[in-house]
Amino acid sequence: KVVADPFFKKLARAPELKEESSGKWEGSFGLGLTMRRGSSNSTEGSLSLDAVREMRDSRLLANAIAVRSSENGERSGDTANADFRGERNISEHMFGFAGAGAERDVLQDLSLRGSLSSGVGVHWLNTEALTLNVYGGLAYSWERYRNEPDARGFEGLLGSELRYQIS
């Protein structure tokens, strides 16, 4: 499509916009290191991954983060968390979801916390630049500790997601 431009005349063209999502995974990877020195010495390292695959009527989300920290040579934190969720539009403003998650925390002797969840949500705002989703449902979780009895149970789930595209 040719755009009327007074300077470049017919050389200017409108950008080709996608009518639908590509269906490819997109995301980010992060690696962080913080070191503080002074009256106390602390170090923190982190590794993160966020990925999303958007399709016409559904999307898949995956994220993971691991953080390890020490203060004055002793470990002060060692956690890891990963979540995977699939969403499918029920209507223009509603969606259903199912997800799974895993977490560990070495300092709390938590060897594994797992969860399975499902529910429905509302696309409160859904524009190119701003998205606000509110959702609720039910989750089943289990926790395995090294030195304590395991715990299991159902939980209510209530959450929100806010995304703002800067550029």
Side-chain angles (χ1 to χ4, degrees), residues 42 48 53 61 90 108:
S42 63
S48 66
R53 180 180 180 204
L61 299 104
I90 299 169
Q108 292 186 12

Side-chain angles (χ1 to χ4, degrees), residues 10-11 13 18 20 23 51 59 81 90 107 141 151 158 167:
K10 292 185 178 183
L11 292 176
R13 294 196 171 269
K18 296 179 192 175
E20 295 181 14
R59 71 180 183 152
N81 185 321
I90 299 169
L107 294 182
S141 65
L158 182 62
S167 60

Side-chain angles (χ1 to χ4, degrees), residues 5-16:
D5 186 304
F7 297 107
F8 296 103
K9 306 288 184 217
K10 292 185 178 183
L11 292 176
R13 294 196 171 269
E16 293 183 23

Side-chain angles (χ1 to χ4, degrees), residues 152-166:
R152 305 169 185 266
F154 286 93
E155 305 169 343
L157 178 65
L158 182 62
S160 64
E161 174 189 18
L162 176 66
R163 288 186 298 145
Y164 179 72
Q165 186 173 343
I166 295 173

Side-chain angles (χ1 to χ4, degrees), residues 124-138:
W124 201 283
L125 297 171
N126 197 11
T127 66
E128 288 281 329
L130 180 65
T131 301
L132 175 61
N133 294 330
V134 179
Y135 54 89
L138 191 62

